[in-house]
Amino acid sequence: MNICLAVTCHDPSGGFATGVAAAAEQLRSEFGAIAVNATEETSQRTIDALKSETPGARFASHQAGSIGIGTARRDALALALETDCDHILYSDLDHVLRWAAIHSEELRETLARACDADFTVIGRSPETFEREPARLRATEGAVNRAASLALGHTGQEPWDFMIATRLMSRGTAQILVDEVGETSIASDVAWPLHAHGRGLSLSYRPVQGLAYRFREDFGAERDERDQDPLEWVRRLEIAALHASAMRPYLEAVSC
């Protein structure tokens, strides 16, 4: 099994460079190639760390805010398709760095077991999700429930779609690049729903290693933003984007 890691990265502060160094051995061990789509504003320190620790990595760049997150993710998949890997793991860079550094064995086992399906959603375990900030549990929980129902999963624990980590076959990645036009963060749900609509096989892997972490460059030691009404509004707006992205797939089924 030959897996390419495809990531997007926006790190103006250079804070991810330390994480790259901590996870480098695991990244080199688990992935046959790495494709990085970074913003032009990302610190050269982070780019240099990736180049040094993961020789042969492919890079693309775009100006922050010039394209939507969904487009940046799709472009990362397209870059990964330039390699000869037969599977692609997509993740936001900071998520996979934490997973590889802190739960390397879980990462290895997940990759080994999840390649039977065309598209595997990798999400937070119920226990991990329950430790998330309240604003995430409330808004992301609603999206997870709706998307799970859209896939026909009634009477079971919802899948977690909103940590944006997916393992897919090369053929599936090509379909998503060619056919999914979702430009926003709602690619979280658009990708699996599109794969499902195309008759591809889907599976789910809940893990411990993708827990939410408060980014150091937000300037606080711990997450206290549940007390900020604007943060709740922002999360509601993100949930609304996901609802809008799901509607066409649901309307297609009901017609």
Side-chain angles (χ1 to χ4, degrees):
M1 180 176 59
N2 190 11
I3 303 175
C4 178
L5 173 63
V7 298
T8 53
C9 174
H10 177 62
D11 181 28
S13 71
F16 293 173
T18 301
V20 171
E25 182 177 350
Q26 288 75 25
L27 296 182
R28 291 192 297 266
S29 173
E30 301 303 330
F31 301 105
I34 296 179
V36 181
N37 186 16
T39 60
E40 294 174 1
E41 292 79 2
T42 291
S43 169
Q44 191 61 41
R45 188 156 64 97
T46 295
I47 300 299
D48 288 345
L50 286 164
K51 290 180 177 179
S52 172
E53 299 288 359
T54 57
R58 294 170 182 255
F59 290 86
S61 64
H62 59 279
Q63 186 176 11
S66 63
I67 58 176
I69 297 172
T71 302
R73 290 172 174 174
R74 189 173 66 245
D75 290 348
L77 287 188
L79 187 62
L81 286 168
E82 295 179 6
T83 73
D84 61 359
C85 293
D86 50 37
H87 285 77
I88 297 170
L89 177 76
Y90 172 80
S91 176
D92 297 345
L93 179 60
D94 53 329
H95 294 163
V96 74
L97 290 180
R98 288 195 300 269
W99 194 14
I102 300 173
H103 293 272
S104 58
E105 187 59 33
E106 182 184 64
L107 170 62
R108 183 176 301 111
E109 292 177 358
T110 301
L111 295 178
R113 295 176 181 177
C115 283
D116 291 339
D118 296 314
F119 187 97
T120 298
V121 175
I122 301 172
R124 293 158 290 189
S125 68
E127 299 81 9
T128 301
F129 190 79
E130 280 303 309
R131 293 194 294 271
E132 303 288 35
R135 66 187 185 282
L136 272 69
R137 295 198 310 272
T139 56
E140 295 186 3
V143 172
N144 289 337
R145 176 69 68 178
S148 295
L149 291 173
L151 293 176
H153 302 158
T154 59
Q156 59 183 275
E157 191 74 32
W159 291 5
D160 174 30
F161 296 89
M162 296 187 67
I163 204 67
T165 307
R166 286 87 175 87
L167 179 65
M168 67 195 79
S169 68
R170 181 182 186 87
T172 300
Q174 190 68 65
I175 288 172
L176 297 180
V177 168
D178 291 343
E179 299 179 4
V180 179
E182 180 57 56
T183 63
S184 78
I185 195 172
S187 59
D188 284 346
V189 292
W191 285 7
L193 287 177
H194 192 85
H196 176 69
R198 291 284 262 105
L200 303 176
S201 59
L202 271 67
S203 67
Y204 180 62
R205 294 285 174 179
V207 300
Q208 303 287 334
L210 290 175
Y212 174 84
R213 291 291 185 274
F214 191 73
R215 286 178 53 170
E216 292 179 359
D217 59 353
F218 288 160
E221 294 182 357
R222 60 195 178 97
D223 186 345
E224 297 179 343
R225 291 180 292 159
D226 276 346
Q227 307 307 313
D228 184 346
L230 182 57
E231 290 297 330
W232 281 87
V233 169
R234 287 170 175 160
R235 288 292 166 175
L236 288 168
E237 289 170 341
I238 290 172
L241 288 172
H242 285 75
S244 296
M246 283 188 276
R247 181 176 286 277
Y249 295 99
L250 299 174
E251 291 174 342
V253 170
S254 64
C255 292

